[in-house]
Amino acid sequence: MRVEPESLYERFSRLRTVVSTWEIRYNQLPAQVLAHFDAADLDSIAGLMVEKRRLEVLIPELQDFIRKWEENADFERDGLF
C-alpha cells in the first residue's frame, strides 16, 4: 500500500506543533524545579537545568527555520498546499 507524502504545508504545521510542545514543556520546568528543590533532589534539578538550556536554544532556532522557509515558499504556486 502506497502512502501519499504529506504536503509541505502539513510539515510546517507539524513543526509548529513541536515548537508549541517545547514551549509548554519549557514553561513547566520552574514548577518541577521547585518540587525537586523541596525534595532536595539536586541531580534532578541539574537535569532540568540542562533541559531548560537546550530548549532555550532549540525553540528559537526552529522558529527561525520555520519563518525563513515559510516566507520563501509559495504553497499554491509550487503545489505544496
Side-chain angles (χ1 to χ4, degrees):
M1 180 169 105
R2 187 174 179 336
V3 176
E4 289 297 316
E6 72 181 347
S7 71
L8 189 57
Y9 178 81
E10 292 169 322
R11 291 179 185 183
F12 280 117
S13 178
R14 187 170 344 134
L15 288 174
R16 282 190 295 278
T17 300
V18 168
V19 169
S20 294
T21 302
W22 287 349
E23 289 172 329
I24 290 168
R25 176 66 182 149
Y26 181 83
N27 291 327
Q28 293 171 342
L29 290 174
Q32 290 185 327
V33 168
L34 287 175
H36 288 295
F37 183 79
D38 289 340
D41 186 356
L42 299 179
D43 289 337
S44 294
I45 292 171
L48 291 171
M49 295 309 296
V50 167
E51 182 178 359
K52 180 182 182 222
R53 285 190 292 274
R54 181 132 172 88
L55 288 172
E56 286 173 338
V57 170
L58 289 174
I59 291 170
E61 283 182 353
L62 190 52
Q63 287 171 330
D64 289 343
F65 174 85
I66 293 167
R67 193 171 17 262
K68 173 185 174 185
W69 291 102
E70 275 190 326
E71 287 174 358
N72 294 325
D74 185 339
F75 294 106
E76 291 182 33
R77 179 200 67 209
D78 298 333
L80 303 172
F81 208 119

